[in-house]
Amino acid sequence: MIYLDANATTPPDPEVVEAMLPWLGARFGNPSASHAGGRAARRAVEAARFQVAALLGAEPEEIIFTSGGTESINSVHLFARQEWPDRPVLVIGAAEHAAVIESARRWRKSGGEVRHVPVNSQGVMQPDALRAALAPGRAALVSLLWANNETGVIAPMRELVETAHAAGAPVHADAVQAAGKMPLDLRAVPVDYLSLSGHKMHAPQGVGALYASRRAAFRPLLVGGGQERGMRSGTENVPGIAAFGKAAELARARLPAAIPRMRDLRDLLEQRILAALPDAVIHGRDADRLPNTSSIRLPAADAAGMLILLDQKGIACSGGSACHSGALHPSHVLEAMGFDAAHAAGTLRFSLSHLTTREEIETAAGLVIQAAEKIRALKDEASGEVIGV
Ligand code: PLP
């Protein structure tokens, strides 16, 4: 299989698996236990906290381990809603992930107000657009996607944070896709809260983190045994946390070489496809984009058919439409950028990792072009028949 779906989930790194294994076997202690086994598990959790903090330029005590991006996002939203009932507004982007969209829906159901900030045709949110949506003194939280999961488009987060802070609103950044694919330094971009997910950076699924700045208030979603300094109760997922820590350390070390490498391969894929299919549209091409992501609309192709053909050839990628309860909906991300449903229905997303090879990209480009041409020919044939009748 040629795996080009790293934004959905990444293959676990062998070094990460190695770091996790002892905690699944003989070293099974509960980090809250006072005996040697417990203390060893505690040290593993604290070492991982250090590794994750280093990836962000944060302090270890600002990291709270969670079950993943979705939990982290929901925790911050619910906290802000409960903490500041006199500030009923939640501001989110028009191209957020479902975790933010659904959590915002709940915010509205609880009697709050949700304001959506538009993005431009390249998928970029402009600080002026955010400024226009801010309700000074009334916004409890601004929740923004740092890098888009569908297009890879990167938000100008420093300017957006300055804009929100100028209006007195704290900022949560969904950095689930950004982490490990671009440098993140929270000393330079002072977000108040930030969400991370292990399985997008070569750790296993079901572990993540919430960064809550020392400057920012936070109270937990989950209460109970008081783990994570009372900020997230529940016995820690020690194997997952140890793996996540290792993945963060590797991502940080790997980043300087991985960024240009992934970008070169992603650009090669796009060049090959554009050379054969000049009508193809690359979304967010003129914007700052993650180096690993390519969202491409292939003319005349329908993504559902393409995905079947490519899967048969051993290529894993995804469509530009999301499947909710069995029905295909056009991507709200592409819609926010001004594209219609038909455009979205011909869109595929390819997302690489540092493990992707040039050979894989060469093969994949050829197969994508072949599949798109096949679908175009079938469509031409079908419309010819119709005309013939
Ligand atoms: N935010 C973004 C941008 C994502 O891409 C994802 C996962 O697809 C999430 C949040 C949710 O993360 P998790 O799968 O860890 O709950």
Side-chain angles (χ1 to χ4, degrees):
M1 178 175 66
I2 298 179
Y3 188 73
L4 300 177
D5 203 14
N7 287 8
T9 200
T10 45
D13 194 304
E15 280 185 69
V16 168
V17 174
E18 205 179 305
M20 177 171 64
L21 283 177
W23 309 103
L24 286 170
R27 308 182 79 182
F28 57 84
N30 184 326
S32 297
S34 58
H35 51 68
R39 293 197 308 275
R42 165 65 47 214
R43 280 196 298 276
V45 169
E46 296 315 316
R49 198 183 311 283
F50 202 85
Q51 289 164 313
V52 172
L55 181 69
L56 302 175
E59 297 298 328
E61 64 268 24
E62 295 176 306
I63 303 299
I64 301 161
F65 288 113
T66 66
S67 66
T70 301
E71 181 191 323
S72 301
I73 291 165
N74 277 262
S75 301
V76 174
H77 287 198
L78 285 168
F79 159 72
R81 181 75 187 115
Q82 280 168 13
E83 189 76 1
W84 298 299
D86 52 330
R87 288 195 259 155
V89 175
L90 169 67
V91 179
I92 67 171
E96 299 295 318
H97 184 267
V100 166
I101 295 172
E102 291 306 317
S103 177
R105 209 187 297 278
R106 182 161 56 189
W107 185 293
R108 195 167 26 235
K109 273 194 186 152
S110 76
E113 178 188 342
V114 178
R115 297 190 176 186
H116 294 85
V117 185
V119 295
N120 66 15
S121 62
Q122 291 297 311
V124 180
M125 182 187 293
Q126 303 294 337
D128 279 347
L130 173 60
R131 197 171 294 115
L134 281 168
R138 294 188 65 236
L141 188 68
V142 173
S143 187
L144 304 174
L145 192 51
W146 201 322
N148 189 282
N149 44 302
E150 289 187 26
T151 60
V153 169
I154 298 170
M157 195 53 83
R158 198 162 57 83
E159 289 88 333
L160 296 172
V161 170
E162 277 168 13
T163 306
H165 282 176
V171 177
H172 163 256
D174 175 351
V176 164
Q177 294 292 344
K181 297 175 195 149
M182 59 181 273
L184 295 176
D185 183 359
L186 302 189
R187 287 162 299 212
V189 186
V191 299
D192 302 278
Y193 310 97
L194 176 140
S195 295
L196 292 179
S197 177
H199 75 102
K200 310 289 185 180
M201 40 191 285
H202 303 280
Q205 290 135 0
V207 65
L210 169 64
Y211 159 88
S213 159
R214 279 178 298 183
R215 302 176 309 275
F218 182 69
R219 281 191 287 113
L221 169 66
L222 299 183
V223 293
Q227 288 87 348
E228 295 296 282
R229 299 176 320 287
M231 292 301 158
R232 199 273 190 181
S233 283
T235 303
E236 297 89 337
N237 168 8
V238 180
I241 290 171
F244 186 27
K246 187 67 184 176
E249 180 191 290
L250 291 172
R252 182 161 168 249
R254 183 184 287 141
L255 212 51
I259 290 176
R261 192 169 174 280
M262 289 194 290
R263 182 177 291 132
D264 285 352
L265 292 178
R266 190 269 315 271
D267 289 351
L268 175 66
L269 177 69
E270 292 182 347
Q271 281 155 16
R272 287 283 157 89
I273 291 176
L274 280 174
L277 307 164
D279 300 340
V281 177
I282 295 169
H283 303 116
R285 197 182 186 192
D286 299 330
D288 201 10
R289 273 190 297 160
L290 290 177
N292 79 315
T293 308
S294 185
S295 165
I296 311 184
R297 141 93 183 170
L298 298 160
D302 77 290
M306 286 288 292
L307 287 174
I308 294 169
L309 289 179
L310 291 175
D311 189 30
Q312 283 169 355
K313 300 281 183 192
I315 307 235
C317 60
S318 32
S321 300
C323 184
H324 298 293
S325 38
L328 270 184
H329 292 276
S331 147
H332 69 284
V333 175
L334 296 178
E335 224 166 38
M337 293 166 72
F339 298 107
D340 63 16
H343 182 99
T347 294
L348 292 181
R349 177 189 72 185
F350 302 97
S351 45
L352 289 58
S353 79
H354 71 283
L355 300 168
T356 310
T357 65
R358 189 181 172 93
E359 238 182 338
E360 288 180 316
I361 289 297
E362 305 261 10
T363 308
L367 292 169
V368 169
I369 294 162
Q370 227 177 58
E373 282 169 347
K374 185 169 177 180
I375 289 189
R376 193 200 299 240
L378 285 171
K379 279 192 173 167
D380 287 350
E381 210 177 283
S383 63
E385 276 167 20
V386 173
I387 293 162
V389 171

